[in-house]
Amino acid sequence: MSTVLAWGTVRPASFPDRVAAAAAAGYDAIGLSVPYYRQLLEQGWTHAEMRRVLDDYAVTVGEAEVIFGFCAEPGPAGIPERPGLVYADPEVEAAVLRLADEFGVPHAQAVGTFDTGPPGERAVEAFAALCDRAAPHGLSIALEFVPYTNIPDVATAAAIVTAADRANGGLCVDAWHFFRGDPDWHELAKAGPGLFTMVQVNDGPMVTETGNIRMEAVSRRRCPGQGEFDLKRFLEVVRPAGDPRAISVEVYSTALDRLPSVEAARAAVAGLADLTPR
């Protein structure tokens, strides 16, 4: 089983610490967010230096995140909870493509807009165009459904990806957003494992604990096996036995943030083997 240590699981980690933690905990790859990658460049890191650290630990970069509002007009999102967020940001897209060129990143996530209006035909056209721009870089685009966006569930996301009909287009299915949104098992199975380019695993309670679902999504996730999600059934559908594609362990948790990076990385993946189809 190939695993990715998602960026959000060890948010406070420096780059060398992140890579070392991934290697020590048995992951094959790390994920990088665009803001974190930009920060590394601003700190003076070169791509050659980053590659050297990755090579020293035999770790790759397995995913890049995230292109927000890919189907919107480029410009400020105007979301109070996310000051500075820009939809369809060409600079974010350029950074994602650079990550693919420099590190051979295979997958990048795209997310809709933080509203409830139907995505419409524009979403299909925009997703197809994004895939076309990514293809020369060897990059696939994984459309992630998020309950509080205009692409809230697997059925909506799958319809867009299917209509776009691009070989390098697929779905990102995050266990948190599936279980805490509309956990429609029929639609999940209907999409089929072949459509799921990225799979992100975590755990948690089935219902909100605070009433603030957005806050909980980025701070109160639990490690696989420590919550109420039926992850065994979930993984049987999205990553059946023998499927060689990687599973990303993405546990946004303030509790993990307080741990040393290697401890957080180990805790996040510890329960995964017992949940994975063999």
Side-chain angles (χ1 to χ4, degrees), residues 59-167:
V59 168
T60 62
V61 183
E63 62 190 29
E65 57 175 310
V66 56
I67 299 170
F68 287 104
F70 73 95
C71 51
E73 291 295 331
I79 306 297
E81 300 93 333
R82 291 178 176 267
L85 179 66
V86 176
Y87 284 153
D89 189 337
E91 293 184 4
V92 169
E93 182 178 321
V96 166
L97 299 181
R98 185 70 184 273
L99 281 166
D101 292 340
E102 294 289 347
F103 302 108
V105 178
H107 311 300
Q109 293 161 262
V111 172
T113 55
F114 291 97
D115 57 60
T116 56
E121 282 300 312
R122 177 175 173 78
V124 176
E125 297 167 3
F127 186 75
L130 178 57
C131 289
D132 290 345
R133 294 192 297 272
H137 303 268
L139 183 69
S140 72
I141 302 298
L143 178 56
E144 181 174 13
F145 60 91
V146 177
Y148 37 88
T149 69
N150 67 337
I151 303 172
D153 52 43
V154 64
T156 305
I160 292 168
V161 171
T162 301
D165 192 24
R166 292 300 190 268

Side-chain angles (χ1 to χ4, degrees), residues 38-47 49-50:
R38 285 173 165 173
Q39 185 181 54
L40 292 176
L41 296 177
E42 290 169 0
Q43 291 170 352
W45 280 86
T46 66
H47 293 103
E49 290 168 338
M50 288 184 244

